[in-house]
Amino acid sequence: MPLRNTCESPTLAAMQINPVHVESTVVLAVVLCVHMAVWNQHSWCSIALVIQAFYVQHKWDRLLRSGGAVFQFRPSASSGIVPASMVMPLLGLALKEKCSASGNVYFERFSMVITITGMMLALFLSLIALGITRPVPTNTCVIAGMAGSAILYTTKQTLTVSEVIEVLEVLLIFVYLSLIVLYLLPRCFTPGEALLIVGGISFIVNQLIKRSLNLAEVKGDPVNYFLPVLVVGSLLLGIFFALLFCFMESETWGSSLFFHMMTAVLGLGILMPWLSLFIGRHPIMWLLDFITLNDRRLCLLAYWVFLSVVASCVVLHQNYQRQSGSKKHQASTIVRKYFHLIVVATYIPGLIYDRQLLHVASVGCLAVFLFLEYVRYFRIRPLGQLLRQLLTLFLDERDSGPLILTHIYLLLGMSLPIWLFPGPCAPKGILPGAGGLVPYAGVLAVGVGDTVASVFGSTMGEIHWPGTKKTMEGTATSVFAQIIAVAMFLIFDSSINLNSTYSWIVGSITLVAMLEAYTSQIDNLLLPLYLFILLLL
């Protein structure tokens, strides 16, 4: 018996390790790395925010386990408050550093607004969690109050009155939008994912309204206005039909015809004129001139259409195998990673040869994905039921709600570094050092790192990280694969000049790989954002 107890003690110790605590430790390490490179009056606030988020996360996880949460969140996942709370504040701090170095005062102030907005949204979510916790956690309330006081004091010292009003506007939009989204879409998000997604949408909505009311101040690349208009249009369409189909049947031909007509009215009658106000031309004519600017763009588009056909063939082939009597009812991890490889093959040529075209094409792809998801969700004829049958094979545990979001998260993870790239703060369109890899953050973290970790971990991994199903072999091969990918980018993309920042790049990749091993959040969305922040410094 003593020998048996001795042999089992390491296993019992490993099982006692809470992966949520390790995830929070990795996030804290990222916060400290950011503040090694950027230290200002917001740094203490960020550290205080991550500490109070850790305490609040513990309380919210307890609520989720006991079923005491107000809304139905995604099951079998932690609340994810810590990693989600730090994305916007750290992003704003990193952008502020780059804009300050380039002398762009306007975007430096804008970055400060992003930082404070992210902190305020995280504080609001923390207050909600503490308000519904019984008994009220006194120690956590004290820590949250101290962090909130520090953030409010810093806000008063650094932001103007108009910027404070802008932060409050985003917070107000976030409150109402959260109530609508979490009510209409139960089990689709964790609290952290809701903070990240709804908070980002709220910020975009507020910025678009602000610029629409001040058209005289609208400036910049027309490419940058496609995404905000698309987000707002998709939001309006989804909310309108979700409320409408609560009172009428959506599967009839009459309802389907009404859906398509209203979508056309919204797109052609509202979004197109709205977009033309920003770019100064009719969007379709501008888009035709943009696409046909040179032969390279036409070749890239033809190549992307070919890859889209290949992806569609993979979906049809897997469904044909299921219908032909195969016992396999769900696509394996390796089959799902085929799409990661196809997306990598899509994005790398665009990043090397034409990033503006890739920006516009990814926004257009997002529009198609959202429209098809609405068609599937509402069972709109003639494609609604067919899409339900085709996509059921590729569901995993993260698609536990009424929406299927995995493919949309993959697109967002690959595209966010391109959409967020600080063009106005990048001299000559590129960033020095590790910043040259910033547009590749999605390809590295999701396309290469996550794919290799999943494939090698599921096929060859034997040593598991304590408290998780992820393996050390998968994480190690993920890091090595991303380093090799960086070397390949250096060969084919002459605009990248790392300037001896190799140790920072390897450290950033390793930290994000550890986050992938321990997080239960949507890694396709979270990992590129954290790698983007680290590489931006």
Side-chain angles (χ1 to χ4, degrees):
M1 289 299 292
L3 178 61
R4 181 183 177 185
N5 290 339
T6 303
C7 295
E8 288 183 353
S9 58
T11 304
L12 292 174
M15 292 178 63
Q16 291 174 357
I17 295 179
N18 190 340
V20 176
H21 293 168
V22 181
E23 176 193 54
S24 302
T25 303
V26 175
V27 173
L28 179 59
V30 174
V31 173
L32 295 178
C33 287
V34 170
H35 295 309
M36 285 172 56
V38 181
W39 187 262
N40 54 34
Q41 63 268 39
H42 298 104
S43 299
W44 288 113
C45 295
S46 297
I47 295 175
L49 183 67
V50 72
I51 294 173
Q52 73 90 29
F54 175 78
Y55 280 89
V56 172
Q57 178 174 258
H58 172 71
K59 303 301 179 183
W60 206 318
D61 286 343
R62 190 179 68 185
L63 282 174
L64 294 178
R65 288 192 297 268
S66 65
V70 176
F71 294 102
Q72 297 183 54
F73 293 102
R74 185 161 64 86
S76 67
S78 65
S79 60
I81 297 297
V82 171
S85 296
M86 301 313 299
V87 169
M88 283 186 69
L90 295 181
L91 177 62
L93 288 173
L95 290 173
K96 180 181 180 298
E97 178 69 12
K98 288 302 175 186
C99 295
S100 177
S102 64
N104 193 322
V105 178
Y106 175 81
F107 278 93
E108 183 180 355
R109 302 295 305 179
F110 180 71
S111 301
M112 292 174 61
V113 172
I114 294 176
T115 299
I116 297 297
T117 300
M119 292 180 179
M120 289 297 184
L121 293 178
L123 279 177
F124 173 77
L125 202 65
S126 299
L127 292 175
I128 294 297
L130 296 176
I132 62 177
T133 303
R134 295 292 182 271
V136 177
T138 305
N139 295 336
T140 307
C141 289
V142 171
I143 294 173
M146 294 173 62
S149 300
I151 293 171
L152 291 174
Y153 177 79
T154 305
T155 302
K156 178 180 178 296
Q157 296 296 318
T158 57
L159 297 187
T160 63
V161 174
S162 61
E163 290 169 342
V164 172
I165 293 174
E166 188 174 347
V167 172
L168 294 177
E169 289 170 349
V170 176
L171 185 58
L172 184 63
I173 296 173
F174 175 80
V175 171
Y176 287 106
L177 201 56
S178 297
L179 296 175
I180 295 172
V181 170
L182 295 177
Y183 174 75
L184 294 177
L185 303 174
R187 304 182 306 280
C188 284
F189 312 102
T190 65
E193 292 163 4
L195 170 63
L196 200 58
I197 295 169
V198 180
I201 293 175
S202 302
F203 192 85
I204 290 174
V205 169
N206 184 67
Q207 289 298 314
L208 189 63
I209 294 174
K210 177 185 173 183
R211 281 165 170 73
S212 300
L213 297 176
N214 297 278
L215 290 174
E217 299 179 5
V218 170
K219 56 184 178 180
D221 195 337
V223 169
N224 297 326
Y225 293 103
F226 279 80
L227 180 62
V229 173
L230 166 67
V231 168
V232 173
S234 301
L235 181 66
L236 293 175
L237 185 68
I239 293 176
F240 174 75
F241 280 107
L243 296 176
L244 178 65
F245 289 141
C246 288
F247 304 99
M248 60 182 294
E249 182 64 39
S250 63
E251 299 181 43
T252 64
W253 277 108
S255 297
S256 300
L257 180 61
F258 181 70
F259 173 87
H260 292 298
M261 289 179 58
M262 289 303 299
T263 303
V265 169
L266 176 67
L268 300 176
I270 298 177
L271 299 186
M272 286 292 182
W274 198 357
L275 188 56
S276 66
L277 293 177
F278 294 116
I279 65 178
R281 291 185 59 189
H282 193 283
I284 295 179
M285 300 305 299
W286 181 92
L287 191 60
L288 289 175
D289 292 339
F290 178 80
I291 292 173
T292 58
L293 183 63
N294 52 52
D295 292 338
R296 175 181 291 176
R297 289 187 170 177
L298 295 175
C299 292
L300 278 173
L301 287 173
Y303 171 67
W304 290 339
V305 169
F306 169 74
L307 290 179
S308 300
V309 173
V310 171
S312 301
C313 290
V314 171
V315 174
L316 294 174
H317 175 69
Q318 291 298 318
N319 277 273
Y320 174 77
Q321 284 189 331
R322 178 176 62 175
Q323 295 171 1
S324 61
S326 174
K327 295 182 180 179
K328 182 177 64 175
H329 296 287
Q330 290 298 123
S332 65
T333 300
I334 296 178
V335 170
R336 284 198 293 267
K337 296 308 174 184
Y338 288 163
F339 297 101
H340 285 235
L341 296 177
I342 292 173
V343 172
V344 169
T346 301
Y347 273 72
I348 289 180
L351 286 167
I352 294 175
Y353 296 113
D354 200 327
R355 293 179 186 176
Q356 276 199 324
L357 179 63
L358 182 61
H359 184 125
V360 174
S362 57
V363 172
C365 189
L366 177 63
V368 173
F369 277 13
L370 291 175
F371 175 75
L372 291 178
E373 180 57 23
Y374 285 148
V375 169
R376 186 206 65 84
Y377 174 68
F378 294 122
R379 295 183 174 91
I380 301 299
R381 296 191 178 194
L383 297 177
Q385 194 59 39
L386 177 63
L387 289 173
R388 281 179 174 265
Q389 296 173 359
L390 292 177
L391 295 180
T392 302
L393 179 65
F394 299 93
L395 297 180
D396 61 14
E397 66 277 1
R398 295 175 297 183
D399 293 312
S400 54
L403 294 184
I404 299 178
L405 299 172
T406 306
H407 59 298
I408 298 177
Y409 284 137
L410 176 60
L411 176 64
L412 288 176
M414 301 289 286
S415 303
L416 280 173
I418 303 167
W419 297 341
L420 296 174
F421 184 79
C425 301
K428 299 180 181 178
I430 57 174
L431 293 172
L437 293 172
V438 162
Y440 291 90
V443 173
L444 287 172
V446 176
V448 177
D450 184 46
T451 302
V452 171
S454 297
V455 173
F456 278 83
S458 60
T459 57
M460 301 172 57
E462 295 182 358
I463 307 174
H464 292 267
W465 288 107
T468 75
K469 298 180 180 179
K470 307 293 179 66
T471 63
M472 296 184 183
E473 293 90 344
T475 302
T477 52
S478 167
V479 173
F480 288 132
Q482 291 180 72
I483 294 173
I484 294 172
V486 170
M488 299 296 292
F489 297 153
L490 284 172
I491 295 173
F492 291 101
D493 192 342
S494 59
S495 65
I496 301 176
N497 183 12
L498 298 184
N499 296 332
S500 302
T501 56
Y502 303 105
S503 58
W504 182 269
I505 293 171
V506 173
S508 301
I509 289 173
T510 304
L511 274 177
V512 174
M514 288 301 300
L515 184 61
E516 187 274 337
Y518 275 96
T519 187
S520 60
Q521 307 302 299
I522 299 295
D523 48 8
N524 287 351
L525 185 65
L526 199 64
L527 303 183
L529 290 172
Y530 272 98
L531 188 58
F532 177 91
I533 292 167
L534 289 169
L535 294 178
L536 195 59
L537 299 171

